[in-house]
Amino acid sequence: MARRKIIIDTDPGQDDAVAILLALASPEELEVLGVTAVAGNVPLPLTQRNARIVCELAGHADIPVFAGSDRPLSRPLVTAEHVHGTTGLDGPSLPDPQMPLQKVHAVDFIVDTLRNEPAGTVTLVPIGPLTNIARAFQDAADIMPRVQEIVLMGGAYFEVGNITPAAEFNIYVDPEAAGIVFKSDVPLTVMPLDVTHKALITAERVEAFRQMGTRTGRMVAAWTDFFERFDKEKYGSEGAPLHDPCTIAYLLEPELFSGRHINVEIETESELTRGMTVADWWRVTDRPVNATFMGDLDAKGYFDLLSERIARL
Ligand code: BDR
Ligand code: CA
């Protein structure tokens, strides 16, 4: 497999943290050009800090981390401390990051990278609200045809919503940004709740990380243990969905996932359904196909991959 260049755009978040670790544990397949932080699960000063903590934990203080948008394009920020805790990475006690935050704004980094790298060689992996990506596309429309692919976590169809009855958190926080991304004509692969609600981190799987005998394994166990409690109460399921690493797992082992090439539109107006991903799963319209919308995953294969890679760190 050719090594793929990626930018991870993120709002860590425990599941974001595991996604970053999975990418950094996979240098044969993935070259992480940078990590760009966005406001989402918690405000930007925390997400950029958390991103640095996670890179350091992975032994990668060399990965440049950039701070981006501190609020959605045109709405007040909605956060999710009720899921992730006040720091966004509640669970284990964490050291202060030592590595610096880059001085360049995340949006400028995204634009410059896409202009400087050969066209079609950089994949964007957004696992938070889509504000940074949309701003980059607004500032520099010339970069859109240069993106190889966007592989994002967001949206839901059969699983409807997790922050409102109709909307998934990442899309709900900045639906206008999502609208720009879904209309960008960039090849789009979407990991909605339909997939991630099958990626359940059960108590047994948490324990397997704890038993790895590494610091990173213990951190992953403590993080997932933390938000597992909340999600178990909410969904009554066996474990919490480990959402964001689905994007990186897809880049490593696409055959773990299956979905449909369909039209997906974003609802931005309605008070009731704002942030809904209106996915034409049954192909009942002739609206143009703009996304590969995933619907299923091999959960065992996913956790096997995660365990094998996280154990390397
Ligand atoms: C998404 O929202 C966040 O809370 C998680 O990190 C994930 O990206 C799931 O809806
Ligand atoms: Ca996230």
Side-chain angles (χ1 to χ4, degrees):
M1 201 200 273
R3 207 160 170 247
R4 205 157 157 168
K5 293 178 201 169
I6 66 170
I7 296 174
I8 304 177
D9 189 71
T10 177
D11 62 339
Q14 293 90 347
D15 60 325
D16 299 73
V18 180
I20 296 168
L21 292 177
L22 178 61
L24 294 177
S26 307
E28 278 130 38
E29 297 96 339
L30 300 176
E31 180 183 356
V32 181
L33 300 178
V35 173
T36 52
V38 67
N41 286 322
V42 286
L44 184 69
L46 289 168
T47 59
Q48 59 87 352
R49 180 177 186 275
N50 292 346
R52 288 183 290 139
I53 291 175
V54 176
C55 289
E56 279 182 4
L57 174 65
H60 273 287
D62 56 314
I63 300 289
V65 174
F66 304 84
S69 311
D70 64 359
R71 72 196 71 173
L73 293 183
S74 54
R75 295 180 187 277
L77 177 64
V78 175
T79 52
E81 285 88 354
H82 60 293
V83 184
H84 301 275
T86 48
T87 66
L89 281 186
D90 276 18
S93 64
L94 297 164
D96 285 332
Q98 302 302 312
M99 63 185 276
L101 180 67
Q102 298 296 310
K103 292 202 167 61
V104 173
H105 192 282
V107 172
D108 294 330
F109 170 73
I110 293 168
V111 171
D112 292 346
T113 305
L114 282 159
R115 282 181 176 158
N116 293 336
E117 296 288 337
T121 64
V122 176
T123 293
L124 302 177
V125 187
I127 52 179
L130 287 158
T131 321
N132 284 342
I133 310 298
R135 281 181 61 187
F137 289 176
Q138 280 181 325
D139 286 3
D142 59 290
I143 63 172
M144 290 193 274
R146 302 180 67 85
V147 179
Q148 182 176 8
E149 186 180 356
I150 294 176
V151 181
L152 68 89
M153 191 280 137
Y157 183 63
F158 292 100
E159 288 288 306
V160 286
N162 62 355
I163 184 78
T164 74
E168 180 279 328
F169 180 78
N170 288 342
I171 306 294
Y172 177 79
V173 172
D174 200 343
E176 284 75 20
I180 290 169
V181 170
F182 277 73
K183 285 199 185 312
S184 66
D185 275 339
V186 174
L188 210 61
T189 298
V190 182
M191 296 292 166
L193 297 182
D194 305 349
V195 171
T196 67
H197 280 183
K198 293 171 186 145
L200 298 179
I201 177 122
T202 57
E204 208 175 284
R205 286 171 174 155
V206 172
E207 202 43 40
F209 283 114
R210 189 167 287 122
Q211 295 308 325
M212 260 170 199
T214 62
R215 180 161 172 254
T216 315
R218 284 192 294 279
M219 288 285 183
V220 170
W223 281 330
T224 48
D225 217 8
F226 179 85
F227 76 81
E228 209 227 342
R229 271 181 222 125
F230 166 81
D231 274 326
K232 239 163 125 176
E233 256 172 51
K234 180 171 171 188
Y235 300 109
S237 55
E238 255 191 71
L242 197 54
H243 306 279
D244 291 339
C246 286
T247 54
I248 303 293
Y250 171 77
L251 293 172
L252 297 171
E253 289 188 17
E255 60 288 350
L256 292 175
F257 300 86
S258 59
R260 292 188 178 192
H261 303 293
I262 55 170
N263 172 268
V264 182
E265 304 284 333
I266 309 295
E267 174 58 52
T268 55
E269 301 293 326
S270 156
E271 268 302 307
L272 199 59
T273 59
R274 194 171 74 224
M276 185 174 184
T277 42
V278 182
D280 189 5
W281 185 261
W282 303 112
R283 301 191 181 101
V284 292
T285 73
D286 52 13
R287 293 197 284 254
V289 169
N290 61 344
T292 303
F293 197 81
M294 293 302 181
D296 208 354
L297 94 160
D298 166 357
K300 182 179 178 306
Y302 174 66
F303 282 100
D304 286 350
L305 173 67
L306 268 167
S307 312
E308 185 245 313
R309 296 298 163 106
I310 300 296
R312 294 177 178 182
L313 294 173

